[in-house]
Amino acid sequence: AQSVTQLGSHVSVSEGALVLLRCNYSSSVPPYLFWYVQYPNQGLQLLLKYTTGATLVKGINGFEAEFKKSETSFHLTKPSAHMSDAAEYFCAVSSSGGSYIPTFGRGTSLIVHP
Amino acid sequence: GAGVSQSPSNKVTEKGKDVELRCDPISGHTALYWYRQSLGQGLEFLIYFQGNSAPDKSGLPSDRFSAERTGGSVSTLTIQRTQQEDSAVYLCASNPRAGHTEAFFGQGTRLTVV
Protein backbone atom coordinates (compact mmCIF):
# COMPACT_ATOMS: atom_id res chain seq x y z
CA ALA A 1 0.00 0.00 0.00
CA GLN A 2 1.12 3.57 -0.53
CA SER A 3 -0.07 6.97 0.59
CA VAL A 4 0.92 10.62 0.59
CA THR A 5 0.37 13.32 3.17
CA GLN A 6 0.84 16.96 2.34
CA LEU A 7 1.05 19.14 5.41
CA GLY A 8 -0.81 22.40 5.01
CA SER A 9 -3.59 22.92 2.52
CA HIS A 10 -2.43 26.52 2.07
CA VAL A 11 1.02 28.08 2.31
CA SER A 12 1.47 31.82 2.08
CA VAL A 13 4.82 33.48 1.37
CA SER A 14 6.08 36.87 0.33
CA GLU A 15 7.65 37.37 -3.06
CA GLY A 16 11.36 36.62 -2.74
CA ALA A 17 10.94 34.41 0.33
CA LEU A 18 11.79 30.74 0.64
CA VAL A 19 9.12 28.30 -0.46
CA LEU A 20 8.78 25.03 1.48
CA LEU A 21 5.97 22.60 0.72
CA ARG A 22 5.93 19.45 2.81
CA CYS A 23 5.24 15.93 1.63
CA ASN A 24 5.49 12.67 3.55
CA TYR A 25 4.85 9.31 1.98
CA SER A 26 4.19 5.78 3.04
CA SER A 27 5.29 2.84 0.93
CA SER A 28 6.22 -0.74 1.76
CA VAL A 29 8.62 -0.88 -1.19
CA PRO A 30 11.01 1.67 -2.70
CA PRO A 31 8.90 4.54 -4.00
CA TYR A 32 9.01 6.78 -6.99
CA LEU A 33 8.12 10.31 -5.99
CA PHE A 34 6.78 13.23 -7.97
CA TRP A 35 5.77 16.85 -7.57
CA TYR A 36 3.21 18.30 -9.96
CA VAL A 37 1.93 21.86 -10.32
CA GLN A 38 -1.56 22.82 -11.41
CA TYR A 39 -2.41 26.32 -12.59
CA PRO A 40 -6.07 27.40 -12.64
CA ASN A 41 -8.22 25.53 -15.15
CA GLN A 42 -5.30 23.46 -16.34
CA GLY A 43 -4.10 19.91 -15.97
CA LEU A 44 -1.11 18.84 -13.91
CA GLN A 45 2.42 19.53 -15.05
CA LEU A 46 5.44 17.66 -13.73
CA LEU A 47 7.86 19.78 -11.69
CA LEU A 48 10.35 17.06 -10.77
CA LYS A 49 10.66 13.39 -9.91
CA TYR A 50 12.78 11.00 -7.90
CA THR A 51 13.27 7.47 -9.14
CA THR A 52 16.72 6.22 -8.12
CA GLY A 53 20.17 7.69 -7.59
CA ALA A 54 20.79 11.21 -6.37
CA THR A 55 18.39 12.11 -3.59
CA LEU A 56 18.40 15.82 -4.35
CA VAL A 57 16.50 16.41 -7.54
CA LYS A 58 16.13 19.64 -9.43
CA GLY A 59 13.13 20.56 -11.49
CA ILE A 60 11.71 23.30 -13.59
CA ASN A 61 11.23 26.90 -12.48
CA GLY A 62 13.96 26.70 -9.85
CA PHE A 63 12.26 24.08 -7.67
CA GLU A 64 14.06 21.19 -6.03
CA ALA A 65 13.20 18.38 -3.64
CA GLU A 66 15.18 15.99 -1.49
CA PHE A 67 14.26 12.36 -0.92
CA LYS A 68 14.90 11.44 2.72
CA LYS A 69 14.22 7.78 3.27
CA SER A 70 14.78 7.95 7.03
CA GLU A 71 12.13 10.64 7.32
CA THR A 72 9.88 9.30 4.53
CA SER A 73 9.79 12.82 3.17
CA PHE A 74 10.06 14.54 -0.18
CA HIS A 75 9.69 18.23 0.58
CA LEU A 76 9.63 20.77 -2.23
CA THR A 77 11.66 23.98 -1.96
CA LYS A 78 12.49 27.08 -3.93
CA PRO A 79 14.92 29.71 -2.61
CA SER A 80 12.97 32.74 -3.81
CA ALA A 81 9.27 32.82 -4.57
CA HIS A 82 7.92 34.57 -7.62
CA MET A 83 4.37 35.76 -8.15
CA SER A 84 4.04 33.31 -11.02
CA ASP A 85 4.62 30.40 -8.60
CA ALA A 86 1.13 30.84 -7.17
CA ALA A 87 -0.63 27.56 -7.97
CA GLU A 88 -1.73 24.23 -6.52
CA TYR A 89 1.05 21.73 -5.86
CA PHE A 90 0.58 17.98 -5.62
CA CYS A 91 2.96 15.37 -4.29
CA ALA A 92 2.55 11.83 -5.65
CA VAL A 93 4.00 8.38 -5.05
CA SER A 94 4.02 5.29 -7.18
CA SER A 95 5.53 1.89 -6.52
CA SER A 96 5.28 -1.75 -7.34
CA GLY A 97 3.25 -2.11 -4.16
CA GLY A 98 0.59 0.07 -5.70
CA SER A 99 0.74 -1.42 -9.18
CA TYR A 100 2.56 1.74 -10.24
CA ILE A 101 -0.68 3.70 -10.07
CA PRO A 102 0.24 7.18 -8.81
CA THR A 103 -1.32 8.12 -5.49
CA PHE A 104 -1.67 11.85 -4.92
CA GLY A 105 -1.77 14.03 -1.86
CA ARG A 106 -4.59 16.50 -1.27
CA GLY A 107 -2.54 19.35 -2.65
CA THR A 108 -1.11 22.57 -1.23
CA SER A 109 -2.19 25.93 -2.53
CA LEU A 110 0.78 28.31 -2.69
CA ILE A 111 -0.11 31.96 -2.24
CA VAL A 112 2.54 34.56 -3.06
CA HIS A 113 2.16 38.08 -1.69
CA PRO A 114 3.86 41.05 -3.34
CA GLY B 1 -1.50 16.80 -31.00
CA ALA B 2 1.45 15.97 -28.83
CA GLY B 3 -0.33 15.97 -25.48
CA VAL B 4 -3.23 14.21 -23.79
CA SER B 5 -6.49 15.55 -25.15
CA GLN B 6 -9.78 15.48 -23.26
CA SER B 7 -13.23 16.38 -24.49
CA PRO B 8 -15.43 18.12 -23.79
CA SER B 9 -13.61 20.67 -21.66
CA ASN B 10 -16.83 21.55 -19.89
CA LYS B 11 -20.06 19.61 -19.56
CA VAL B 12 -23.26 20.64 -17.82
CA THR B 13 -25.86 17.92 -17.47
CA GLU B 14 -29.12 17.39 -15.68
CA LYS B 15 -29.31 15.04 -12.74
CA GLY B 16 -30.20 11.56 -13.91
CA LYS B 17 -28.71 11.88 -17.38
CA ASP B 18 -25.80 9.81 -18.66
CA VAL B 19 -22.54 11.45 -19.73
CA GLU B 20 -19.50 10.30 -21.67
CA LEU B 21 -16.07 11.84 -21.24
CA ARG B 22 -13.36 11.19 -23.79
CA CYS B 23 -9.59 10.93 -23.47
CA ASP B 24 -7.05 10.72 -26.29
CA PRO B 25 -3.71 9.71 -24.77
CA ILE B 26 -0.31 10.45 -26.18
CA SER B 27 0.38 8.14 -29.09
CA GLY B 28 2.24 5.02 -28.03
CA HIS B 29 1.49 5.37 -24.32
CA THR B 30 0.36 2.04 -22.98
CA ALA B 31 -0.81 3.18 -19.54
CA LEU B 32 -3.91 5.36 -19.09
CA TYR B 33 -5.45 6.64 -15.87
CA TRP B 34 -8.64 8.43 -14.92
CA TYR B 35 -8.78 10.58 -11.81
CA ARG B 36 -11.48 12.73 -10.25
CA GLN B 37 -10.69 16.06 -8.65
CA SER B 38 -13.41 17.54 -6.47
CA LEU B 39 -13.33 21.08 -5.11
CA GLY B 40 -10.68 21.32 -2.42
CA GLN B 41 -9.78 17.65 -2.74
CA GLY B 42 -6.81 15.88 -4.16
CA LEU B 43 -6.90 13.51 -7.06
CA GLU B 44 -9.04 10.45 -6.51
CA PHE B 45 -7.98 7.45 -8.59
CA LEU B 46 -10.80 5.92 -10.64
CA ILE B 47 -9.48 3.39 -13.16
CA TYR B 48 -6.23 2.29 -14.81
CA PHE B 49 -5.58 0.65 -18.16
CA GLN B 50 -2.25 -0.97 -19.00
CA GLY B 51 -1.83 -2.37 -22.48
CA ASN B 52 -4.07 -5.35 -23.11
CA SER B 53 -4.36 -6.28 -19.44
CA ALA B 54 -7.66 -6.20 -17.61
CA PRO B 55 -8.21 -2.68 -16.23
CA ASP B 56 -7.83 -1.91 -12.55
CA LYS B 57 -11.29 -0.67 -11.62
CA SER B 58 -10.68 -0.53 -7.90
CA GLY B 59 -11.21 3.22 -7.68
CA LEU B 60 -14.61 3.45 -9.34
CA PRO B 61 -16.97 4.85 -6.67
CA SER B 62 -20.12 3.03 -7.81
CA ASP B 63 -21.50 0.84 -10.57
CA ARG B 64 -22.79 3.98 -12.28
CA PHE B 65 -19.20 4.58 -13.38
CA SER B 66 -17.57 2.60 -16.16
CA ALA B 67 -14.76 3.08 -18.64
CA GLU B 68 -13.40 1.42 -21.71
CA ARG B 69 -10.34 1.79 -23.84
CA THR B 70 -10.65 0.86 -27.48
CA GLY B 71 -7.70 -0.38 -29.48
CA GLY B 72 -5.33 0.50 -26.70
CA SER B 73 -5.78 4.18 -27.44
CA VAL B 74 -8.87 6.33 -26.87
CA SER B 75 -10.71 5.91 -23.58
CA THR B 76 -14.25 6.83 -22.63
CA LEU B 77 -15.46 7.30 -19.06
CA THR B 78 -19.21 6.89 -18.73
CA ILE B 79 -21.28 8.04 -15.79
CA GLN B 80 -24.85 6.80 -15.75
CA ARG B 81 -27.73 8.46 -13.93
CA THR B 82 -25.56 11.37 -12.85
CA GLN B 83 -25.89 12.77 -9.34
CA GLN B 84 -24.91 16.20 -8.04
CA GLU B 85 -22.03 14.67 -6.11
CA ASP B 86 -20.54 13.60 -9.43
CA SER B 87 -19.74 17.25 -10.17
CA ALA B 88 -15.96 17.48 -10.39
CA VAL B 89 -13.06 17.79 -12.79
CA TYR B 90 -12.25 14.48 -14.43
CA LEU B 91 -8.59 14.19 -15.37
CA CYS B 92 -7.05 11.69 -17.73
CA ALA B 93 -3.35 10.87 -17.83
CA SER B 94 -1.16 8.59 -19.89
CA ASN B 95 2.26 7.09 -19.38
CA PRO B 96 4.72 5.46 -21.79
CA ARG B 97 4.63 2.43 -19.52
CA ALA B 98 3.82 1.70 -15.93
CA GLY B 99 6.67 2.41 -13.57
CA HIS B 100 8.86 5.29 -12.68
CA THR B 101 8.07 7.49 -15.60
CA GLU B 102 5.71 10.32 -14.90
CA ALA B 103 2.10 10.52 -16.00
CA PHE B 104 1.18 13.18 -18.56
CA PHE B 105 -2.11 14.87 -17.84
CA GLY B 106 -4.83 16.32 -20.02
CA GLN B 107 -6.53 19.57 -19.08
CA GLY B 108 -9.55 17.79 -17.71
CA THR B 109 -13.30 17.84 -18.20
CA ARG B 110 -15.26 19.95 -15.76
CA LEU B 111 -18.56 18.19 -15.13
CA THR B 112 -21.42 20.06 -13.50
CA VAL B 113 -24.59 18.19 -12.61
CA VAL B 114 -27.57 20.47 -12.05
Side-chain angles (χ1 to χ4, degrees), chain A residues 83-99:
Chain A
M83 297 295 290
S84 61
D85 294 327
E88 191 82 15
Y89 291 80
F90 292 94
C91 182
V93 61
S94 74
S95 70
S96 60
S99 302

Side-chain angles (χ1 to χ4, degrees), chain B residues 12-82:
Chain B
V12 180
T13 190
E14 292 181 351
K15 178 181 174 181
K17 300 284 190 182
D18 297 352
V19 294
E20 287 188 349
L21 312 180
R22 177 186 169 103
C23 173
D24 277 283
I26 295 172
S27 178
H29 282 196
T30 60
L32 187 147
Y33 316 84
W34 282 98
Y35 288 85
R36 179 168 68 176
Q37 184 178 21
S38 303
L39 188 63
Q41 302 295 313
L43 275 69
E44 175 189 6
F45 165 72
L46 297 177
I47 189 168
Y48 164 58
F49 296 89
Q50 172 56 50
N52 295 322
S53 302
D56 182 335
K57 305 179 181 180
S58 61
L60 294 178
S62 77
D63 59 8
R64 296 187 296 105
F65 288 72
S66 63
E68 63 178 19
R69 188 178 185 192
T70 55
S73 181
V74 171
S75 177
T76 302
L77 176 68
T78 301
I79 309 173
Q80 296 179 310
R81 305 181 302 282
T82 52

